[in-house]
Amino acid sequence: MKKEKGSITIFSLLSLLLVTATLFALLEGTRLQEMRRFAVLQTENALESAFANYNSCLWENYRLLGANGNEMQAVIEQTAAGCVGEGTNFFRLEAKDISIFGETRITDGNGAVFIKSVSSYMKENFMYEAAKEVYSQYEAIKQILESDQMNLSNITDALEEMDKTDRETVKPFAKTRIKRDVDAQIDVRSLLEIAEDWKEMGILNLVLQDTESISKAQHDFSTGLLNRNLEKGSDSVETTIDWKDRLLLQQYLMTYMSNFSEKKENRALSYEVEYLLGQKSSDIENLKVTANKLLAVREAANFLYLLSNTVCMAQAEAMATLLVGVTANPLLIQAVKIGLLTAWALAESILDVRAILEGKRIALLKSEESWTIALENLGEISKGFLMAKESKWGLDYEDYLGILLLLEQENGLAMNSMNLQEATIRQNYADASFGMDTLIAQANVKVSYSYKPVFPFLQIINADNRWEYNLSADASYGYY
């Protein structure tokens, strides 16, 4: 076989080297772009892993998410460090520096972040049409309360006016008894005195048939969220709360907070919604505040009904005239008339609250059919446990609670809710150091990475040094 001489020139070698270098440079450049994409994915994965480290007790009890801020840095570092890789893996990154910034804690914005977190969750569970119905009820009660015509001092004023009148003149009329269509007879002056006595009675003894079944739970909030300096996020929170957020907050509280008619297990206080209205340290005190607020709503509504009913107005005027008409003092007659109407509305309201606390439904605005007690029968309230007529289309205890919540300032509700949730976790889940202000709702992270080039003898790609390249990636995450 004939042998051929083979050789390669310097020019051919340089040409081959140039082609190879160009190919390797293109491969390294492509790798760099993929490294950047991989770094972003790895950073997002690290931050999402940190937010997956939420407080499970808070979620199970209140469906509220908050990442553990004390462990966030460690979780991100651990997750980001897992991308180093070995062997022939072309995407080997080493996390050099991790910076968490722009974190928003759930307590920031005086409860605004809490409200937005709750709103975001409840949007998936609450129908808009139901929201409109609740809001219309709220607007109706708000208008009733703002009418400012009902005042319990009317009863006291009427009695004082009568005392100023010449007793000898009034005496025969004060003892007069009125015969109605029914057989009941009543001392006119005693109507006002009976109502005055009601004001001095304990509200729970007046409206509850069984006071022994009331929860005796108490909690010391002295070290709670409202009584210490809170940790703050690094971002200033400017959050606008609209009426939809308020409704969603209200529905959240009514769904996941315990109350007098629907108790839940493992809570610091059994009457949580009542705590939001009363802000006291015991269930009994909070129930008292709630009952008084409920009574005030019913009084205002019932007083407006009496003012709109010509028959009721005529009855009150006739009784007032019979009592003090001999004085011929129209101002005195008017004062006694208003006092009687106020006592009448109060009596009906007591019957309403009794029925509501017993689980019955009471109409927001009464009618002649749903009105229960007659003016001459006010004294019957103290004789047994008389209750108002139930209305099929009325509101029950939880409906009224929900409306009372809407009358409260939303930021105050948010802060008190978190105070109570913190107390529950500390007391019932053996986590005495837990604080709502350690929970993070949103955060950003920046991670700096380094990686080794696959072809270190090439200096074509710009790098900080011959053997190591640097890049960084940002990520953001939040629950709302």
Side-chain angles (χ1 to χ4, degrees):
M1 177 182 292
K2 183 178 179 181
K3 294 182 179 181
E4 298 288 343
K5 290 184 179 182
S7 64
I8 185 169
T9 64
I10 298 297
F11 176 78
S12 299
L13 182 60
L14 291 175
S15 299
L16 180 60
L17 181 61
L18 181 60
V19 170
T20 304
T22 302
L23 178 61
F24 285 170
L26 291 174
L27 290 174
E28 193 67 45
T30 303
R31 179 170 176 261
L32 173 60
Q33 297 302 317
E34 286 301 299
M35 278 291 195
R36 288 172 176 166
R37 187 180 67 84
F38 181 66
V40 171
L41 293 176
Q42 190 65 22
T43 302
E44 291 176 349
N45 180 47
L47 186 58
E48 289 179 14
S49 296
F51 273 88
N53 185 35
Y54 56 85
N55 188 287
S56 59
C57 296
L58 189 64
W59 170 255
E60 290 169 3
N61 284 277
Y62 297 105
R63 286 297 184 267
L64 186 63
L65 290 171
N68 192 328
N70 296 330
E71 299 177 2
M72 179 167 285
Q73 181 83 21
V75 173
I76 293 176
E77 288 179 356
Q78 182 180 6
T79 307
C83 62
V84 174
E86 296 179 354
T88 58
N89 183 3
F90 280 91
F91 301 119
R92 288 174 286 178
L93 289 172
E94 181 178 357
K96 290 291 187 179
D97 182 62
I98 296 174
S99 174
I100 300 174
F101 62 98
E103 73 266 18
T104 301
R105 296 179 185 266
I106 201 166
T107 52
D108 285 350
N110 192 31
V113 174
F114 174 86
I115 295 173
K116 282 299 184 183
S117 297
V118 165
S119 177
S120 178
Y121 172 77
M122 291 300 293
K123 282 177 182 177
E124 304 298 326
N125 300 276
F126 188 55
M127 298 295 291
Y128 176 69
E129 291 302 321
K132 289 198 300 183
E133 180 180 353
V134 172
Y135 194 70
S136 65
Q137 295 170 349
Y138 157 71
E139 286 292 340
I141 283 187
K142 187 177 179 182
Q143 290 177 8
I144 290 172
L145 294 177
E146 289 176 350
S147 65
D148 200 28
Q149 299 185 72
M150 172 71 184
N151 192 336
L152 287 179
S153 64
N154 293 333
I155 300 172
T156 304
D157 292 343
L159 287 171
E160 289 177 353
E161 288 294 332
M162 291 169 61
D163 290 337
K164 292 177 184 178
T165 307
D166 183 8
R167 292 181 180 276
E168 294 299 322
T169 304
V170 179
K171 186 176 179 181
F173 297 91
K175 293 184 176 180
T176 302
R177 296 188 178 272
I178 302 172
K179 184 76 174 177
R180 295 287 178 186
D181 294 336
V182 296
D183 294 332
Q185 293 183 346
I186 189 165
D187 184 328
V188 179
R189 177 190 278 269
S190 70
L191 290 176
L192 299 176
E193 293 172 344
I194 289 170
E196 186 77 0
D197 291 339
W198 291 337
K199 292 163 58 180
E200 303 300 325
M201 294 178 64
I203 182 67
L204 296 185
N205 291 324
L206 191 60
V207 299
L208 279 178
Q209 190 169 15
D210 180 17
T211 56
E212 294 299 319
S213 62
I214 300 174
S215 168
K216 306 301 189 297
Q218 300 183 54
H219 188 83
D220 181 8
F221 291 99
S222 59
T223 60
L225 178 144
L226 299 179
N227 294 305
R228 67 172 188 269
N229 294 324
L230 303 180
E231 296 185 29
K232 302 290 185 180
S234 59
D235 264 3
S236 60
V237 178
E238 295 182 3
T239 304
T240 302
I241 306 298
D242 58 23
W243 71 270
K244 292 181 181 178
D245 293 321
R246 292 189 55 168
L247 279 177
L248 293 172
L249 172 65
Q250 180 251 36
Q251 286 297 304
Y252 167 81
L253 296 175
M254 290 304 304
T255 303
Y256 297 108
M257 291 287 194
S258 177
N259 63 67
F260 175 75
S261 67
E262 185 178 350
K263 302 178 185 65
K264 300 183 186 296
E265 300 293 330
N266 299 323
R267 301 298 170 94
L269 292 176
S270 296
Y271 306 155
E272 293 181 305
V273 176
E274 288 80 357
Y275 165 79
L276 299 179
L277 297 171
Q279 301 169 36
K280 307 294 183 182
S281 60
S282 72
D283 280 334
I284 292 178
E285 292 302 316
N286 288 320
L287 188 58
K288 287 180 181 178
V289 174
T290 302
N292 276 314
K293 289 187 175 185
L294 187 55
L295 187 63
V297 169
R298 293 305 317 149
E299 286 168 354
N302 290 335
F303 191 73
L304 286 180
Y305 166 76
L306 291 176
L307 292 180
S308 66
N309 189 305
T310 55
V311 175
C312 294
M313 292 289 286
Q315 290 178 4
E317 185 168 2
M319 191 171 286
T321 302
L322 182 61
L323 180 60
V324 294
V326 70
T327 65
N329 185 342
L331 294 179
L332 179 57
I333 295 174
Q334 181 66 14
V336 174
K337 173 185 174 183
I338 295 300
L340 288 171
L341 289 171
T342 303
W344 198 357
L346 175 60
E348 184 75 10
S349 302
I350 291 171
L351 303 186
D352 290 343
V353 176
R354 286 177 177 178
I356 291 170
L357 291 174
E358 288 292 321
K360 300 182 183 300
R361 292 182 172 273
I362 297 298
L364 180 58
L365 295 175
K366 289 290 185 80
S367 63
E368 185 176 350
E369 292 74 21
S370 59
W371 193 267
T372 303
I373 195 164
L375 179 58
E376 64 271 14
N377 294 333
L378 299 192
E380 299 297 320
I381 286 186
S382 303
K383 302 174 183 178
F385 196 74
L386 181 65
M387 291 187 291
K389 298 176 183 177
E390 184 172 16
S391 173
K392 181 179 180 181
W393 308 110
L395 306 178
D396 62 13
Y397 179 68
E398 290 196 345
D399 293 329
Y400 278 104
L401 274 187
I403 294 173
L404 289 177
L405 287 177
L406 286 174
L407 296 172
E408 299 289 318
Q409 205 275 336
E410 61 269 14
N411 292 93
L413 285 177
M415 297 304 291
N416 281 297
S417 296
M418 289 187 284
N419 191 39
L420 192 54
Q421 291 168 343
E422 180 181 276
T424 292
I425 303 301
R426 287 183 173 185
Q427 175 177 297
N428 296 317
Y429 294 93
D431 192 356
S433 63
F434 172 76
M436 292 292 289
D437 53 328
T438 65
L439 302 180
I440 295 178
Q442 289 183 335
N444 304 310
V445 66
K446 181 176 182 178
V447 183
S448 297
Y449 298 94
S450 66
Y451 72 97
K452 303 291 184 180
V454 175
F455 311 104
F457 61 89
L458 292 176
Q459 194 69 14
I460 298 175
I461 301 177
N462 186 26
D464 293 339
N465 59 65
R466 182 179 176 87
W467 308 113
E468 186 175 270
Y469 301 144
N470 296 312
L471 55 85
S472 62
D474 299 339
S476 301
Y477 193 84
Y479 295 126
Y480 71 93

